[in-house]
Amino acid sequence: MAKTKQEMDSKLAPGEARSRGKQIQDLLDEETVEVPWQLRDAEYTYLGSEPLDRDHYISQEWCDKETENLWSRVWQLACFEQDIPEVGDHIVYDIVDWSFILVRTEPDTIKAFYNSCLHRGRRLCTNELEPANKPEFRCPFHGITWNVDGSLKAIPPSIEFDFPHVDKEEFGLPEVKCERWDGFVFINIDDDAEPLMDFLGDITKHFERWPFANRWKATHSAKIVDSNWKLAQEAFMEAFHVLATHPQMSIGLLGGDGSNTEYNIYDNGDANWSRMTMAPPMPNPNLPYELTEQELIEEMFFRGESVSEMGVQKMAGSAEDLPEGMTTRKLLADAARKNGPNGFVGGEPTDVELTSAIQYHIFPNISPWPGPIFYRHRPYGRDPDKCIMEIMMMVSLPEGAERPPAAKINWLGPDEHFGNIFNQDVENVAQVQRGLKAAKPPGGLTLGNYQDIKVRWHHRLLEKWVNREI
Ligand code: FES
Ligand SMILES: [Fe+2]
Protein backbone atom coordinates (compact mmCIF):
# COMPACT_ATOMS: atom_id res chain seq x y z
CA MET A 1 0.00 0.00 0.00
CA ALA A 2 1.31 3.45 -0.83
CA LYS A 3 2.89 5.44 1.95
CA THR A 4 1.22 8.54 3.22
CA LYS A 5 2.93 11.80 2.51
CA GLN A 6 3.57 11.95 6.24
CA GLU A 7 5.37 8.62 6.22
CA MET A 8 7.51 9.71 3.30
CA ASP A 9 8.52 12.97 4.95
CA SER A 10 8.75 12.90 8.71
CA LYS A 11 9.80 16.54 8.67
CA LEU A 12 6.27 17.70 7.97
CA ALA A 13 5.10 20.50 10.21
CA PRO A 14 1.85 20.02 12.17
CA GLY A 15 -1.15 20.31 9.87
CA GLU A 16 0.81 19.54 6.71
CA ALA A 17 0.02 15.82 6.52
CA ARG A 18 -2.66 14.71 4.06
CA SER A 19 -4.43 11.43 3.37
CA ARG A 20 -3.47 9.01 0.61
CA GLY A 21 -4.75 9.46 -2.90
CA LYS A 22 -5.47 12.39 -5.15
CA GLN A 23 -6.21 15.74 -3.59
CA ILE A 24 -8.69 18.25 -5.02
CA GLN A 25 -5.90 20.40 -6.44
CA ASP A 26 -4.53 17.30 -8.27
CA LEU A 27 -7.95 16.76 -9.83
CA LEU A 28 -8.08 20.38 -10.92
CA ASP A 29 -4.74 19.87 -12.70
CA GLU A 30 -6.52 17.28 -14.89
CA GLU A 31 -9.42 19.53 -15.91
CA THR A 32 -9.93 20.07 -19.63
CA VAL A 33 -11.69 23.41 -19.19
CA GLU A 34 -10.39 26.56 -17.55
CA VAL A 35 -10.35 26.26 -13.77
CA PRO A 36 -12.02 29.23 -12.05
CA TRP A 37 -9.70 31.08 -9.69
CA GLN A 38 -12.09 30.46 -6.82
CA LEU A 39 -11.18 26.75 -6.79
CA ARG A 40 -7.47 27.56 -6.70
CA ASP A 41 -7.97 30.00 -3.83
CA ALA A 42 -7.39 27.22 -1.33
CA GLU A 43 -5.75 28.61 1.82
CA TYR A 44 -5.09 26.62 4.96
CA THR A 45 -3.36 27.74 8.14
CA TYR A 46 -2.45 25.50 11.07
CA LEU A 47 -4.13 26.98 14.13
CA GLY A 48 -2.61 24.78 16.83
CA SER A 49 -3.57 21.50 18.45
CA GLU A 50 -4.91 22.68 21.82
CA PRO A 51 -7.96 20.89 23.24
CA LEU A 52 -11.34 22.45 22.55
CA ASP A 53 -13.38 23.48 25.60
CA ARG A 54 -16.50 21.29 25.79
CA ASP A 55 -18.28 24.07 27.72
CA HIS A 56 -18.82 25.75 24.36
CA TYR A 57 -21.49 23.13 23.76
CA ILE A 58 -23.00 22.30 27.12
CA SER A 59 -22.63 25.24 29.48
CA GLN A 60 -25.62 27.51 30.12
CA GLU A 61 -23.19 30.28 31.05
CA TRP A 62 -21.44 30.01 27.70
CA CYS A 63 -24.79 29.93 25.90
CA ASP A 64 -25.82 33.14 27.67
CA LYS A 65 -22.52 34.75 26.73
CA GLU A 66 -23.15 33.86 23.09
CA THR A 67 -26.52 35.58 23.35
CA GLU A 68 -25.07 38.73 24.89
CA ASN A 69 -21.89 39.00 22.86
CA LEU A 70 -22.47 37.18 19.57
CA TRP A 71 -26.10 37.13 18.51
CA SER A 72 -26.61 40.70 19.73
CA ARG A 73 -23.85 41.98 17.41
CA VAL A 74 -23.27 39.67 14.46
CA TRP A 75 -24.72 39.80 10.93
CA GLN A 76 -27.13 36.88 10.55
CA LEU A 77 -29.36 35.58 7.79
CA ALA A 78 -32.99 36.48 8.51
CA CYS A 79 -34.61 35.34 5.24
CA PHE A 80 -34.30 35.37 1.46
CA GLU A 81 -35.61 38.20 -0.70
CA GLN A 82 -37.78 35.66 -2.51
CA ASP A 83 -39.53 34.78 0.78
CA ILE A 84 -41.25 38.18 0.65
CA PRO A 85 -41.62 39.04 -3.06
CA GLU A 86 -44.56 41.50 -2.90
CA VAL A 87 -44.99 44.78 -1.03
CA GLY A 88 -46.57 43.93 2.32
CA ASP A 89 -45.17 40.38 2.41
CA HIS A 90 -43.47 39.67 5.67
CA ILE A 91 -41.81 36.85 7.56
CA VAL A 92 -40.74 36.48 11.17
CA TYR A 93 -37.16 35.66 12.15
CA ASP A 94 -36.51 34.50 15.72
CA ILE A 95 -33.07 34.27 17.28
CA VAL A 96 -32.60 33.32 20.93
CA ASP A 97 -35.00 35.69 22.79
CA TRP A 98 -35.36 38.17 19.95
CA SER A 99 -37.94 38.25 17.19
CA PHE A 100 -38.00 40.41 14.06
CA ILE A 101 -40.47 41.12 11.28
CA LEU A 102 -38.89 41.30 7.82
CA VAL A 103 -41.21 43.16 5.49
CA ARG A 104 -41.05 44.39 1.92
CA THR A 105 -42.16 48.00 2.26
CA GLU A 106 -41.56 49.00 -1.38
CA PRO A 107 -40.76 46.93 -4.48
CA ASP A 108 -37.03 47.19 -3.75
CA THR A 109 -37.00 48.02 -0.05
CA ILE A 110 -36.98 45.52 2.79
CA LYS A 111 -37.08 46.66 6.41
CA ALA A 112 -36.80 44.77 9.66
CA PHE A 113 -38.71 45.70 12.83
CA TYR A 114 -38.59 44.42 16.37
CA ASN A 115 -41.56 42.08 16.67
CA SER A 116 -42.90 43.68 19.84
CA CYS A 117 -45.86 45.97 20.38
CA LEU A 118 -45.02 49.40 21.82
CA HIS A 119 -48.03 49.24 24.16
CA ARG A 120 -47.54 46.25 26.44
CA GLY A 121 -45.06 44.32 24.38
CA ARG A 122 -47.02 41.50 22.74
CA ARG A 123 -45.44 39.88 19.70
CA LEU A 124 -47.10 41.67 16.81
CA CYS A 125 -46.77 38.76 14.42
CA THR A 126 -47.36 35.41 15.99
CA ASN A 127 -47.13 33.31 12.86
CA GLU A 128 -43.38 32.83 12.98
CA LEU A 129 -43.37 30.18 10.33
CA GLU A 130 -45.28 31.37 7.33
CA PRO A 131 -44.68 34.41 5.19
CA ALA A 132 -47.98 36.33 5.03
CA ASN A 133 -49.18 39.38 3.22
CA LYS A 134 -51.00 41.91 5.42
CA PRO A 135 -51.49 45.59 4.67
CA GLU A 136 -50.81 46.36 8.34
CA PHE A 137 -49.53 44.98 11.62
CA ARG A 138 -52.40 44.91 14.09
CA CYS A 139 -51.57 43.91 17.62
CA PRO A 140 -53.93 41.10 18.68
CA PHE A 141 -53.93 42.28 22.34
CA HIS A 142 -55.60 45.74 22.20
CA GLY A 143 -55.62 46.43 18.49
CA ILE A 144 -53.04 49.20 18.00
CA THR A 145 -52.04 49.05 14.36
CA TRP A 146 -48.92 49.95 12.38
CA ASN A 147 -48.43 50.35 8.63
CA VAL A 148 -46.07 47.97 6.86
CA ASP A 149 -43.46 50.76 6.71
CA GLY A 150 -43.49 50.81 10.52
CA SER A 151 -45.37 54.10 10.98
CA LEU A 152 -48.34 54.16 13.35
CA LYS A 153 -51.61 53.58 11.53
CA ALA A 154 -54.17 53.83 14.31
CA ILE A 155 -54.95 53.53 17.97
CA PRO A 156 -58.50 52.13 18.17
CA PRO A 157 -60.93 55.08 18.77
CA SER A 158 -62.35 53.50 21.91
CA ILE A 159 -58.98 53.55 23.69
CA GLU A 160 -57.34 56.54 22.04
CA PHE A 161 -58.48 58.95 24.83
CA ASP A 162 -56.05 57.22 27.18
CA PHE A 163 -52.94 57.93 25.12
CA PRO A 164 -52.76 61.74 24.86
CA HIS A 165 -49.04 61.49 25.68
CA VAL A 166 -48.29 59.48 22.54
CA ASP A 167 -46.76 61.48 19.69
CA LYS A 168 -48.18 59.59 16.75
CA GLU A 169 -45.37 60.71 14.45
CA GLU A 170 -42.83 59.25 16.86
CA PHE A 171 -44.71 56.04 17.61
CA GLY A 172 -43.27 54.01 14.74
CA LEU A 173 -41.94 50.48 15.19
CA PRO A 174 -38.24 50.46 16.01
CA GLU A 175 -36.09 49.16 13.17
CA VAL A 176 -33.18 46.78 13.29
CA LYS A 177 -30.27 47.10 10.87
CA CYS A 178 -31.05 45.21 7.66
CA GLU A 179 -28.81 44.78 4.61
CA ARG A 180 -28.85 42.50 1.59
CA TRP A 181 -26.41 40.53 -0.50
CA ASP A 182 -27.15 38.35 -3.55
CA GLY A 183 -30.76 37.58 -2.60
CA PHE A 184 -30.01 37.09 1.12
CA VAL A 185 -31.53 39.40 3.76
CA PHE A 186 -29.34 39.86 6.84
CA ILE A 187 -30.05 41.68 10.09
CA ASN A 188 -27.78 42.98 12.82
CA ILE A 189 -29.05 43.98 16.25
CA ASP A 190 -26.04 46.23 16.80
CA ASP A 191 -26.78 49.71 15.41
CA ASP A 192 -23.02 50.34 15.17
CA ALA A 193 -22.20 47.17 13.24
CA GLU A 194 -19.83 47.35 10.28
CA PRO A 195 -21.47 47.21 6.82
CA LEU A 196 -22.57 43.70 5.80
CA MET A 197 -20.26 43.62 2.78
CA ASP A 198 -17.24 44.38 4.99
CA PHE A 199 -18.26 41.56 7.31
CA LEU A 200 -18.65 39.08 4.46
CA GLY A 201 -15.36 39.95 2.79
CA ASP A 202 -14.04 37.94 -0.15
CA ILE A 203 -16.71 35.24 -0.09
CA THR A 204 -18.83 37.65 -2.10
CA LYS A 205 -16.20 37.47 -4.88
CA HIS A 206 -16.18 33.67 -4.72
CA PHE A 207 -19.93 33.51 -5.21
CA GLU A 208 -19.78 35.66 -8.34
CA ARG A 209 -19.16 32.23 -9.90
CA TRP A 210 -22.33 30.65 -8.39
CA PRO A 211 -24.73 33.52 -7.65
CA PHE A 212 -27.77 33.10 -5.46
CA ALA A 213 -29.93 36.05 -6.51
CA ASN A 214 -31.73 34.15 -9.26
CA ARG A 215 -31.91 30.77 -7.59
CA TRP A 216 -35.18 29.25 -6.46
CA LYS A 217 -35.74 28.07 -2.90
CA ALA A 218 -37.38 24.81 -3.88
CA THR A 219 -37.56 23.18 -0.44
CA HIS A 220 -37.11 24.36 3.14
CA SER A 221 -37.23 21.88 6.03
CA ALA A 222 -36.60 22.56 9.69
CA LYS A 223 -36.33 20.39 12.75
CA ILE A 224 -35.62 20.88 16.43
CA VAL A 225 -32.54 18.77 17.08
CA ASP A 226 -31.26 17.55 20.47
CA SER A 227 -27.84 19.15 20.28
CA ASN A 228 -26.13 22.49 20.55
CA TRP A 229 -26.39 24.55 17.34
CA LYS A 230 -22.65 24.34 16.77
CA LEU A 231 -22.56 20.56 17.04
CA ALA A 232 -25.30 20.18 14.47
CA GLN A 233 -23.59 22.43 11.97
CA GLU A 234 -20.20 20.85 12.61
CA ALA A 235 -21.68 17.64 11.23
CA PHE A 236 -21.17 19.49 7.92
CA MET A 237 -17.76 20.99 8.66
CA GLU A 238 -15.74 17.86 8.11
CA ALA A 239 -16.18 14.81 5.91
CA PHE A 240 -14.11 12.15 7.59
CA HIS A 241 -17.05 11.04 9.73
CA VAL A 242 -18.43 9.40 6.56
CA LEU A 243 -16.33 6.32 7.30
CA ALA A 244 -18.14 5.53 10.55
CA THR A 245 -21.38 7.52 10.41
CA HIS A 246 -22.39 6.92 6.78
CA PRO A 247 -20.62 3.65 5.84
CA GLN A 248 -23.07 3.17 2.96
CA MET A 249 -21.50 6.21 1.25
CA SER A 250 -17.90 5.03 1.50
CA ILE A 251 -18.07 2.76 -1.51
CA GLY A 252 -21.40 3.79 -2.96
CA LEU A 253 -22.25 7.41 -3.31
CA LEU A 254 -18.89 8.92 -2.52
CA GLY A 255 -16.57 6.15 -3.59
CA GLY A 256 -14.37 7.30 -0.73
CA ASP A 257 -14.38 7.83 2.99
CA GLY A 258 -14.18 11.62 2.89
CA SER A 259 -10.49 11.60 3.78
CA ASN A 260 -9.51 13.38 0.55
CA THR A 261 -11.58 16.42 1.34
CA GLU A 262 -9.89 19.80 0.99
CA TYR A 263 -10.34 22.25 3.88
CA ASN A 264 -9.82 25.98 3.53
CA ILE A 265 -9.74 28.83 5.98
CA TYR A 266 -8.72 32.30 4.91
CA ASP A 267 -6.68 35.26 6.21
CA ASN A 268 -4.91 32.93 8.67
CA GLY A 269 -8.28 31.95 10.08
CA ASP A 270 -9.52 35.50 10.65
CA ALA A 271 -11.90 35.62 7.66
CA ASN A 272 -15.58 35.20 8.47
CA TRP A 273 -15.92 32.34 6.01
CA SER A 274 -14.41 28.97 5.20
CA ARG A 275 -14.84 26.12 2.73
CA MET A 276 -14.48 22.40 2.26
CA THR A 277 -14.55 20.41 -0.95
CA MET A 278 -15.32 16.71 -0.80
CA ALA A 279 -13.59 14.60 -3.41
CA PRO A 280 -15.82 13.21 -6.17
CA PRO A 281 -16.38 9.44 -6.49
CA MET A 282 -12.97 7.80 -6.82
CA PRO A 283 -11.72 4.34 -5.83
CA ASN A 284 -11.12 4.62 -2.11
CA PRO A 285 -7.33 4.42 -1.54
CA ASN A 286 -7.84 3.36 2.08
CA LEU A 287 -9.54 0.04 1.33
CA PRO A 288 -7.51 -3.10 2.13
CA TYR A 289 -7.80 -4.08 -1.55
CA GLU A 290 -7.47 -2.08 -4.74
CA LEU A 291 -10.83 -1.05 -6.21
CA THR A 292 -10.95 -0.47 -9.96
CA GLU A 293 -13.07 2.20 -11.61
CA GLN A 294 -15.26 -0.55 -13.07
CA GLU A 295 -15.79 -2.08 -9.63
CA LEU A 296 -16.50 1.35 -8.19
CA ILE A 297 -19.22 2.15 -10.67
CA GLU A 298 -20.78 -1.26 -10.21
CA GLU A 299 -20.80 -0.70 -6.46
CA MET A 300 -22.37 2.70 -7.00
CA PHE A 301 -25.12 1.51 -9.30
CA PHE A 302 -25.92 -1.89 -7.89
CA ARG A 303 -25.01 -1.81 -4.22
CA GLY A 304 -24.74 1.84 -3.22
CA GLU A 305 -28.14 2.27 -1.59
CA SER A 306 -27.76 6.04 -1.40
CA VAL A 307 -27.05 6.45 -5.09
CA SER A 308 -30.52 5.74 -6.42
CA GLU A 309 -31.93 7.88 -3.60
CA MET A 310 -30.00 10.83 -4.95
CA GLY A 311 -31.07 10.22 -8.55
CA VAL A 312 -27.52 9.67 -9.81
CA GLN A 313 -28.41 6.38 -11.45
CA LYS A 314 -31.04 8.04 -13.58
CA MET A 315 -28.61 10.77 -14.52
CA ALA A 316 -25.66 8.62 -15.45
CA GLY A 317 -27.22 5.68 -17.24
CA SER A 318 -26.02 2.20 -16.33
CA ALA A 319 -22.73 0.67 -15.33
CA GLU A 320 -22.38 -1.09 -18.68
CA ASP A 321 -21.96 2.37 -20.18
CA LEU A 322 -18.52 2.81 -18.63
CA PRO A 323 -16.15 2.81 -21.61
CA GLU A 324 -12.54 1.63 -21.47
CA GLY A 325 -10.36 4.09 -19.60
CA MET A 326 -13.32 6.16 -18.40
CA THR A 327 -13.45 7.16 -14.73
CA THR A 328 -16.57 7.22 -12.65
CA ARG A 329 -16.18 10.89 -11.84
CA LYS A 330 -15.75 11.75 -15.53
CA LEU A 331 -18.85 9.76 -16.44
CA LEU A 332 -20.87 11.59 -13.79
CA ALA A 333 -19.46 14.96 -14.84
CA ASP A 334 -20.30 14.35 -18.51
CA ALA A 335 -23.82 13.24 -17.62
CA ALA A 336 -24.30 16.37 -15.52
CA ARG A 337 -22.90 18.48 -18.35
CA LYS A 338 -25.33 16.88 -20.82
CA ASN A 339 -28.21 17.68 -18.47
CA GLY A 340 -27.40 21.35 -18.96
CA PRO A 341 -25.81 22.56 -15.74
CA ASN A 342 -27.16 25.88 -14.50
CA GLY A 343 -25.80 28.65 -12.38
CA PHE A 344 -22.14 28.85 -13.48
CA VAL A 345 -20.84 32.30 -14.33
CA GLY A 346 -17.59 32.94 -16.18
CA GLY A 347 -16.75 29.80 -18.11
CA GLU A 348 -17.61 26.13 -18.46
CA PRO A 349 -18.14 24.13 -15.26
CA THR A 350 -15.24 21.93 -14.23
CA ASP A 351 -15.60 18.25 -13.39
CA VAL A 352 -14.83 19.08 -9.76
CA GLU A 353 -17.72 21.54 -9.60
CA LEU A 354 -20.07 19.02 -11.21
CA THR A 355 -19.16 16.03 -9.06
CA SER A 356 -17.88 17.31 -5.69
CA ALA A 357 -19.73 18.71 -2.72
CA ILE A 358 -18.27 22.20 -2.29
CA GLN A 359 -19.50 23.67 0.98
CA TYR A 360 -18.82 27.19 2.17
CA HIS A 361 -19.59 28.45 5.62
CA ILE A 362 -20.30 31.99 6.71
CA PHE A 363 -19.76 32.72 10.39
CA PRO A 364 -21.64 32.09 12.53
CA ASN A 365 -24.33 29.82 11.15
CA ILE A 366 -25.04 29.46 7.44
CA SER A 367 -23.58 27.17 4.83
CA PRO A 368 -24.10 28.12 1.18
CA TRP A 369 -23.01 25.64 -1.48
CA PRO A 370 -22.27 26.31 -5.14
CA GLY A 371 -24.61 23.31 -5.51
CA PRO A 372 -28.21 23.47 -4.33
CA ILE A 373 -27.89 22.51 -0.64
CA PHE A 374 -28.05 25.27 1.95
CA TYR A 375 -27.91 24.94 5.75
CA ARG A 376 -28.75 27.24 8.63
CA HIS A 377 -28.40 26.31 12.32
CA ARG A 378 -29.79 28.43 15.14
CA PRO A 379 -29.98 28.08 18.91
CA TYR A 380 -33.40 27.04 20.17
CA GLY A 381 -34.12 29.80 22.67
CA ARG A 382 -31.44 29.76 25.34
CA ASP A 383 -31.29 25.99 25.61
CA PRO A 384 -27.68 24.85 24.96
CA ASP A 385 -28.93 21.29 24.37
CA LYS A 386 -31.25 22.08 21.47
CA CYS A 387 -31.09 23.83 18.14
CA ILE A 388 -33.07 24.53 14.99
CA MET A 389 -31.55 22.82 11.98
CA GLU A 390 -32.72 23.92 8.54
CA ILE A 391 -31.97 22.43 5.13
CA MET A 392 -32.99 24.20 1.96
CA MET A 393 -32.56 23.41 -1.71
CA MET A 394 -31.51 26.54 -3.59
CA VAL A 395 -31.85 25.53 -7.22
CA SER A 396 -30.23 27.36 -10.13
CA LEU A 397 -32.78 27.76 -12.91
CA PRO A 398 -32.12 27.70 -16.65
CA GLU A 399 -31.54 31.16 -18.06
CA GLY A 400 -34.79 33.02 -18.65
CA ALA A 401 -36.87 30.56 -16.62
CA GLU A 402 -39.51 32.06 -14.38
CA ARG A 403 -38.88 31.47 -10.70
CA PRO A 404 -41.74 29.64 -8.92
CA PRO A 405 -42.77 30.88 -5.45
CA ALA A 406 -40.25 30.13 -2.71
CA ALA A 407 -41.00 27.07 -0.60
CA LYS A 408 -42.47 27.75 2.80
CA ILE A 409 -40.80 26.30 5.83
CA ASN A 410 -41.81 22.71 6.58
CA TRP A 411 -41.36 21.88 10.28
CA LEU A 412 -40.57 18.23 10.82
CA GLY A 413 -41.96 16.61 13.96
CA PRO A 414 -39.86 14.56 16.42
CA ASP A 415 -40.47 11.38 14.40
CA GLU A 416 -39.97 12.94 10.98
CA HIS A 417 -36.58 13.04 9.28
CA PHE A 418 -34.69 15.03 6.67
CA GLY A 419 -33.62 11.79 4.92
CA ASN A 420 -31.51 8.72 5.65
CA ILE A 421 -28.08 10.30 5.53
CA PHE A 422 -29.08 13.49 7.35
CA ASN A 423 -30.85 11.40 9.95
CA GLN A 424 -27.61 9.57 10.68
CA ASP A 425 -26.03 12.99 11.37
CA VAL A 426 -28.95 14.12 13.55
CA GLU A 427 -28.84 10.95 15.65
CA ASN A 428 -25.10 11.23 15.91
CA VAL A 429 -24.99 14.82 17.18
CA ALA A 430 -27.64 14.07 19.82
CA GLN A 431 -25.35 11.33 21.11
CA VAL A 432 -22.37 13.71 21.00
CA GLN A 433 -24.30 16.22 23.12
CA ARG A 434 -24.94 13.52 25.74
CA GLY A 435 -21.40 12.17 25.47
CA LEU A 436 -19.91 15.60 26.08
CA LYS A 437 -21.76 15.80 29.37
CA ALA A 438 -20.61 12.31 30.27
CA ALA A 439 -16.90 13.16 29.92
CA LYS A 440 -14.59 13.33 32.91
CA PRO A 441 -13.94 17.02 33.62
CA PRO A 442 -12.51 19.12 32.17
CA GLY A 443 -13.08 16.94 29.13
CA GLY A 444 -11.19 18.97 26.52
CA LEU A 445 -11.71 17.71 22.96
CA THR A 446 -8.88 16.59 20.71
CA LEU A 447 -9.27 17.81 17.13
CA GLY A 448 -7.52 16.74 13.95
CA ASN A 449 -5.00 19.32 12.76
CA TYR A 450 -6.25 19.50 9.19
CA GLN A 451 -9.62 17.80 8.84
CA ASP A 452 -11.11 19.58 11.87
CA ILE A 453 -9.71 22.98 10.91
CA LYS A 454 -13.15 24.44 10.16
CA VAL A 455 -14.32 23.41 13.63
CA ARG A 456 -11.25 24.99 15.22
CA TRP A 457 -11.61 28.12 13.05
CA HIS A 458 -15.24 28.50 14.07
CA HIS A 459 -14.57 28.18 17.80
CA ARG A 460 -11.58 30.52 17.59
CA LEU A 461 -13.73 33.22 16.00
CA LEU A 462 -16.56 32.51 18.40
CA GLU A 463 -14.26 32.96 21.40
CA LYS A 464 -13.15 36.31 20.03
CA TRP A 465 -16.77 37.44 19.73
CA VAL A 466 -17.78 36.12 23.12
CA ASN A 467 -14.75 37.79 24.74
CA ARG A 468 -15.50 41.00 22.81
CA GLU A 469 -12.11 40.97 21.12
CA ILE A 470 -14.11 41.51 17.93
S1 FES B 1 -50.06 45.05 23.73
FE1 FES B 1 -50.29 45.61 21.71
S2 FES B 1 -52.04 46.87 21.67
FE2 FES B 1 -51.77 46.34 23.71
FE1 LIG C 1 -22.75 13.42 7.76
Side-chain angles (χ1 to χ4, degrees), residues 180-194:
R180 292 184 273 165
W181 163 62
D182 206 18
F184 299 91
V185 184
F186 286 78
I187 59 128
N188 196 316
I189 297 171
D190 180 2
D191 291 335
D192 299 322
E194 65 183 323

Side-chain angles (χ1 to χ4, degrees), residues 117-122 124 139-144 146 159:
C117 177
L118 297 182
H119 174 219
R120 298 234 322 260
R122 192 197 193 282
L124 280 175
C139 180
F141 199 171
H142 308 91
I144 299 179
W146 283 266
I159 62 172

Side-chain angles (χ1 to χ4, degrees), residues 1-5 7-8 20-21 285:
M1 193 174 283
K3 281 187 172 181
T4 63
K5 202 177 161 204
E7 287 164 339
M8 289 188 286
R20 295 180 179 85

Side-chain angles (χ1 to χ4, degrees), residues 234-261 263 276 278-279 284 306 357 359 421 424-425 428 451:
E234 286 161 16
F236 310 106
M237 282 192 169
E238 48 82 9
F240 66 115
H241 70 276
V242 164
L243 177 69
T245 304
H246 314 295
Q248 78 275 32
M249 292 173 76
S250 297
I251 295 180
L253 181 61
L254 270 185
D257 51 16
S259 61
N260 282 26
T261 300
Y263 297 89
M276 72 180 201
M278 292 172 75
N284 184 347
S306 51
Q359 311 181 27
I421 291 171
Q424 288 171 327
D425 291 312
N428 199 38
Q451 296 178 99

Side-chain angles (χ1 to χ4, degrees), residues 272-457:
N272 288 323
W273 56 285
S274 65
R275 178 175 71 183
M276 72 180 201
T277 305
M278 292 172 75
M282 291 189 293
N284 184 347
N286 295 319
L287 293 174
Y289 53 91
E290 202 173 321
L291 192 72
T292 66
E293 289 284 351
Q294 184 64 41
E295 286 165 338
L296 169 62
I297 203 153
E298 282 172 12
E299 285 289 348
M300 289 187 68
F301 287 130
F302 302 124
R303 284 186 285 282
E305 66 168 282
S306 51
V307 171
S308 52
E309 262 179 38
M310 304 283 283
V312 177
Q313 184 167 11
K314 192 163 161 267
M315 181 178 78
S318 76
E320 287 125 79
D321 294 337
L322 189 67
E324 187 70 26
M326 179 63 116
T327 61
T328 308
R329 62 182 185 280
K330 188 77 192 154
L331 182 80
L332 293 173
D334 288 349
R337 211 167 257 122
K338 213 180 292 172
N339 273 4
N342 302 311
F344 296 86
V345 172
E348 291 296 308
T350 58
D351 289 358
V352 164
E353 288 166 290
L354 292 170
T355 58
S356 311
I358 308 175
Q359 311 181 27
Y360 284 77
H361 189 85
I362 300 176
F363 184 86
N365 70 329
I366 58 170
S367 184
W369 294 32
I373 296 179
F374 185 96
Y375 305 125
R376 177 170 66 174
H377 294 86
R378 284 181 280 165
Y380 183 66
R382 286 200 189 221
D383 186 346
D385 296 333
K386 286 196 186 328
C387 71
I388 301 168
M389 174 172 166
E390 291 167 271
I391 303 177
M392 304 161 215
M393 295 298 282
M394 302 293 300
V395 178
S396 294
L397 298 171
E399 216 172 303
E402 197 174 322
R403 178 165 57 197
K408 293 180 178 175
I409 193 164
N410 171 33
W411 282 87
L412 302 173
D415 298 325
E416 293 177 290
H417 306 301
F418 289 114
N420 275 355
I421 291 171
F422 289 123
N423 193 40
Q424 288 171 327
D425 291 312
V426 167
E427 286 184 355
N428 199 38
V429 296
Q431 290 300 322
V432 178
Q433 188 73 18
R434 294 181 64 189
L436 285 167
K437 292 184 172 183
K440 181 178 178 182
L445 309 172
T446 308
L447 304 182
N449 286 337
Y450 178 61
Q451 296 178 99
D452 281 323
I453 193 63
K454 280 169 64 93
V455 176
R456 187 175 292 284
W457 157 79

Side-chain angles (χ1 to χ4, degrees), residues 85-88 103-111 148-149 180:
E86 306 293 335
V87 172
V103 57
R104 192 175 288 267
T105 57
E106 289 172 46
D108 196 34
T109 305
I110 290 173
K111 288 188 176 177
V148 287
D149 67 1
R180 292 184 273 165

